[in-house]
Amino acid sequence: MTPDELRSLFLFESLSDEQLRWLSEHGSIEEYPAGDVLREGEPAEKFLVLLAGTVSLSRRSGNSEIEVNRSDHAGSYMGATQGYLNDDQYGRVYTMTVRAITPARFFVLPGMAFGQMVREWFPMAIHLLEGLLFGMRNSQAAINQRERLSALGSLTAGLMHELNNPAAAASRATVALRQRVAGMRQKLGKLADGRVTQEQLVALTQLQESVIERAAKAPSLSAMEASDREDELSDWMDDQGVSNAWDLAPIFAQGGMDIECLEEIRTTVGDPLLVEKSLQWLAYALETEQLMTDIEDATARVSSLVGAAKQYSQMDRASYQSIDIHEGLKSTLVMLHHKMGDGVKIVKDFDRDLPKIPAHPAELNQVWTNLIDNAVQAMKGQGTLTVRTARENDCLLVEVRDTGSGIPADALPRVFEPFFTTKPVGEGTGLGLDISYRIVVNRHRGDITVTSQPGDTRFQVRLPLTEPPRSE
């Protein structure tokens, strides 16, 4: 191509005659039929300038390609466009696929020659471009780290809050249990003061076991049913001259006891003067059993939270492994439970027949955290959060759906852009969804999409069932 022909292209119109001659000598004309010209990820060996024809530029997104531009404008350039950068991570491979829609003609420079040319002809511009690119990369890495630390701090605070509740409950129950055990010793001493025969005491002890077993199997009562049962028991005990009937009635009602059970106790004791002491002793036994159940539930809750935290962080596990996707989803819901409150209903629509998939579970947990946290914030404490899993062809689908106000239509195409956020100033950095996108698409070769309208926002993550993830 002659220098004058090159000058007619907007890309080269300001170059000197000497520079145009250099291009003319080092470049060549290449023609391509309709079809692939360059493939994303291949070594960047050519810098192309379109002379004639129509081309499309596309980028890989998971297992599909998305067209990002189409041009028939003479002078459009593509290929080794970043070959001038002195960095192994940039400029070494094609960042897009170039496909000829019609037969196309190009002016072609070798990638190495193009990089050398730009560095020698525009040294100050190179410094500015490198500073801009690498500075943005380092800044984004630092902000990404800050985002992760901020999320970790929030999760840690929430976990401590969740742990504090059962720990405090266990502590309170232990104090009450000590008091009830002391009371039982006193009542047992009064029962055994000689006025109760050995046979009566043995029968009463056996009856105690029966009462505790009955309480363990007692069905839950509604507020109205419990109130009616308490009134019945209280009236019976008043008739028997029990002084603190009003205090004992709720304990017996919760323990599943009825009038028939109280009559059995009265018959076993025999002596009307010992009925009250016997009932108080059994009430202490019921309360002690309930307190031990409360302690067991509280410590089980602590163990569950610790297990969820361990599962969430993937502590003591390999970074890449075959995983059940539901384990990460459940642990993330536990970790974020403190943010949901009582106004958010959680629906888990899981396909339990899904196979395990190869993945980086700790990174996917970060994706679930970002999506679920955003959904909860969008609902502002009221709504339904649905987490669904299913199989779609050769992919595993995870859908996070909320009933919040939705994402504005003009913002929807930009939600995965770095630093873009629809949250008020100070409430978001705009990196959560960008990080999620890179984890799903770049690390796992999957795909993440979003659809939204008021009352129905859905983020869908598709992960390959068998293809191993590819490192960035």
Side-chain angles (χ1 to χ4, degrees):
M1 220 176 150
T2 67
D4 289 339
E5 290 174 326
L6 288 170
R7 194 186 297 278
S8 66
L9 300 172
F10 73 89
L11 186 62
F12 305 131
E13 62 185 3
S14 298
L15 298 181
S16 66
D17 292 341
E18 182 180 353
Q19 290 170 330
L20 290 171
R21 281 195 298 271
W22 186 94
L23 287 173
S24 180
E25 292 170 0
H26 287 78
S28 61
I29 301 295
E30 293 185 11
E31 296 185 357
Y32 291 85
D36 289 349
V37 178
L38 307 174
R39 293 293 299 175
E40 180 182 353
E42 293 179 348
E45 298 175 345
K46 297 179 180 180
F47 175 78
L48 282 68
V49 181
L50 182 65
L51 300 177
T54 301
V55 296
S56 74
L57 281 70
S58 61
R59 296 197 69 174
R60 186 169 49 229
S61 176
N63 296 322
S64 60
E65 283 192 356
I66 300 175
E67 183 176 302
V68 296
N69 192 21
R70 180 175 292 210
S71 177
D72 59 1
H73 182 58
S76 299
Y77 53 92
M78 59 213 70
T81 55
Q82 294 182 331
Y84 53 84
L85 294 173
N86 289 317
D87 187 88
D88 290 338
Q89 296 186 28
Y90 294 89
R92 301 295 185 245
V93 296
Y94 295 123
T95 58
M96 292 188 183
T97 293
V98 178
R99 185 172 291 110
I101 305 301
T102 65
R105 186 166 174 260
F106 298 92
F107 172 72
V108 180
L109 274 176
M112 295 293 290
F114 170 73
Q116 179 184 357
M117 174 199 78
V118 177
R119 285 193 297 270
E120 291 179 357
W121 291 1
F122 311 105
M124 182 175 178
I126 292 297
H127 291 311
L128 292 173
L129 287 171
E130 287 184 335
L132 178 63
L133 179 62
F134 300 145
M136 287 183 62
R137 185 181 67 177
N138 294 336
S139 297
Q140 183 165 338
I143 294 175
N144 287 352
Q145 184 68 14
R146 178 65 180 271
E147 178 85 358
R148 290 185 175 93
L149 289 173
S150 176
L152 179 61
S154 177
L155 287 172
T156 301
L159 179 60
M160 293 303 100
H161 175 77
E162 291 291 323
L163 286 171
N164 181 66
N165 290 335
S171 178
R172 290 192 299 269
T174 302
V175 173
L177 179 61
R178 182 177 288 109
Q179 295 172 347
R180 296 303 181 274
V181 170
M184 284 187 67
R185 291 196 298 265
Q186 294 175 358
K187 298 303 178 185
L188 183 60
K190 291 181 179 180
L191 284 173
D193 61 1
R195 285 181 290 176
V196 178
T197 66
Q198 181 179 357
E199 292 77 11
Q200 287 177 317
L201 189 59
V202 170
L204 193 59
T205 303
Q206 292 174 345
L207 184 59
Q208 172 189 273
E209 297 303 319
S210 175
V211 167
I212 291 175
E213 183 179 353
R214 185 188 189 106
K217 299 177 181 179
S220 298
L221 300 177
S222 67
M224 184 63 69
E225 290 172 334
S227 178
D228 291 342
R229 177 72 59 85
E230 290 172 16
D231 289 341
E232 292 175 1
L233 297 174
S234 180
D235 291 343
W236 185 92
M237 286 185 283
D238 285 338
D239 293 341
Q240 302 301 316
V242 177
S243 60
N244 58 339
W246 187 250
D247 293 328
L248 297 177
I251 300 173
F252 291 147
Q254 185 180 4
M257 295 175 65
D258 53 20
I259 300 298
E260 181 180 350
C261 185
L262 293 183
E263 286 287 353
E264 183 179 356
I265 295 171
R266 185 174 66 84
T267 302
T268 301
V269 174
D271 187 350
L273 298 177
L274 296 178
V275 171
E276 180 173 345
K277 293 180 180 180
S278 300
L279 291 177
Q280 289 175 344
W281 182 54
L282 290 173
Y284 276 124
L286 281 174
E287 283 191 297
T288 299
E289 193 68 22
Q290 183 59 51
L291 288 169
M292 287 190 291
T293 300
D294 291 344
I295 293 173
E296 183 181 14
D297 291 344
T299 53
R301 175 61 177 164
V302 171
S303 296
S304 174
L305 287 167
V306 172
K310 186 175 181 179
Q311 166 66 29
Y312 180 86
S313 65
Q314 293 298 305
M315 188 166 51
D316 300 330
R317 298 191 182 189
S319 63
Y320 170 70
Q321 57 188 292
S322 182
I323 66 166
D324 179 351
I325 203 73
H326 301 108
E327 292 182 0
L329 290 169
K330 289 189 294 183
S331 66
T332 303
L333 286 170
V334 171
M335 295 292 286
L336 293 176
H337 182 265
H338 68 284
K339 290 192 172 184
M340 300 180 191
D342 298 330
V344 175
K345 178 183 177 182
I346 302 173
V347 177
K348 289 179 280 191
D349 182 8
F350 291 164
D351 181 355
R352 295 296 185 177
D353 294 328
L354 289 173
K356 292 184 176 182
I357 63 170
H360 296 273
E363 296 182 11
L364 287 181
N365 286 346
Q366 187 175 5
V367 175
W368 313 144
T369 298
N370 291 334
L371 297 184
I372 293 173
D373 189 33
N374 283 348
V376 172
Q377 291 187 42
M379 291 186 289
K380 298 180 179 178
Q382 295 290 332
T384 300
L385 171 70
T386 304
V387 181
R388 181 172 71 93
T389 62
R391 181 167 184 162
E392 281 193 357
N393 302 320
D394 294 330
C395 291
L396 183 150
L397 170 69
V398 177
E399 181 181 81
V400 177
R401 177 184 178 188
D402 69 73
T403 57
S405 57
I407 302 172
D410 59 341
L412 205 57
R414 302 185 59 196
V415 294
F416 297 112
E417 293 181 11
F419 305 108
F420 178 79
T421 179
T422 58
K423 299 175 184 177
V425 175
E427 293 187 13
T429 61
L431 285 173
L433 291 179
D434 169 57
I435 292 172
S436 300
Y437 180 90
R438 288 189 283 112
I439 289 174
V440 172
V441 175
N442 297 341
R443 291 284 279 170
H444 292 83
R445 307 191 80 173
D447 192 23
I448 179 170
T449 59
V450 58
T451 60
S452 182
Q453 59 185 13
D456 186 6
T457 297
R458 307 185 187 197
F459 280 88
Q460 294 184 327
V461 174
R462 292 173 177 84
L463 300 167
L465 292 173
T466 56
E467 185 179 0
R470 183 187 68 178
S471 298
E472 288 182 304

